[in-house]
Amino acid sequence: MPPDSLSTDEAHTVNDHMPVSSRPSSGAVASIARDGVRYEQDMQSYRHGGVQSGGYLVAIDQAMGERRWMLEVYGVPGQEAVGVSTPGRCFKSTQLLPDGQRIEIQGEVGGKYGMDLRERPSTWKSGPDSVHKSREGQ
């Protein structure tokens, strides 16, 4: 019998035996639009030269839909050397600061980073940081 046709109690019994992720979903983080550019978490960084799973911000031309640049906001330490695949680290939130020239990004482990839209450096501001140092525009 397909799961759609099971009663609620039967569905719970079937689902109780399914593997469950120990990590919650990252959820959707809203993009920021400013002066014809959309800034958002880069979920395709590996396809565009990224070397880690997560931690990148991408700028996309809104009119053309083309990528302008990608910036590593924070590092994601690899665990492959010990035989474990490295899970991505996603953004928890992004916001355009009141001056309209900087974006604040909070990573899922709690670190806060600032990014200047003109100069493009990413700087650790507070909270836990994966690599315990600032990232300069890369």
Side-chain angles (χ1 to χ4, degrees):
M1 182 182 309
D4 297 359
S5 62
L6 297 176
S7 71
T8 303
D9 289 337
E10 290 170 323
H12 277 306
T13 302
V14 169
N15 290 335
D16 288 343
H17 299 292
M18 299 295 290
V20 177
S21 174
S22 61
R23 180 177 168 183
S25 169
S26 64
V29 175
S31 61
I32 295 170
R34 184 172 190 310
D35 297 334
V37 178
R38 185 176 73 244
Y39 303 93
E40 62 188 36
Q41 176 173 218
D42 193 342
M43 301 306 284
Q44 299 180 8
S45 59
Y46 279 124
R47 299 172 100 191
H48 301 279
V51 296
Q52 64 183 24
S53 185
Y56 290 101
L57 181 74
V58 65
I60 299 171
D61 182 293
Q62 287 183 288
M64 303 298 287
E66 296 174 355
R67 299 166 67 90
R68 287 187 170 183
W69 50 260
M70 177 175 75
L71 172 74
E72 180 183 321
V73 176
Y74 53 80
V76 177
Q79 300 172 338
E80 286 79 9
V82 293
V84 178
S85 66
T86 301
R89 290 203 180 157
C90 299
F91 294 172
K92 186 174 182 180
S93 66
T94 58
Q95 69 174 342
L96 183 65
L97 296 179
D99 67 6
Q101 295 300 315
R102 293 178 295 140
I103 293 176
E104 182 177 86
I105 299 165
Q106 183 173 9
E108 73 175 296
V109 296
K112 287 189 179 180
Y113 303 82
M115 199 279 293
D116 185 300
L117 294 175
R118 296 167 294 212
E119 302 294 322
R120 280 189 257 159
S122 169
T123 307
W124 172 77
K125 294 171 68 176
S126 66
D129 179 43
S130 301
V131 292
H132 304 291
K133 65 180 181 177
S134 297
R135 291 287 187 171
E136 294 302 320
Q138 298 174 351

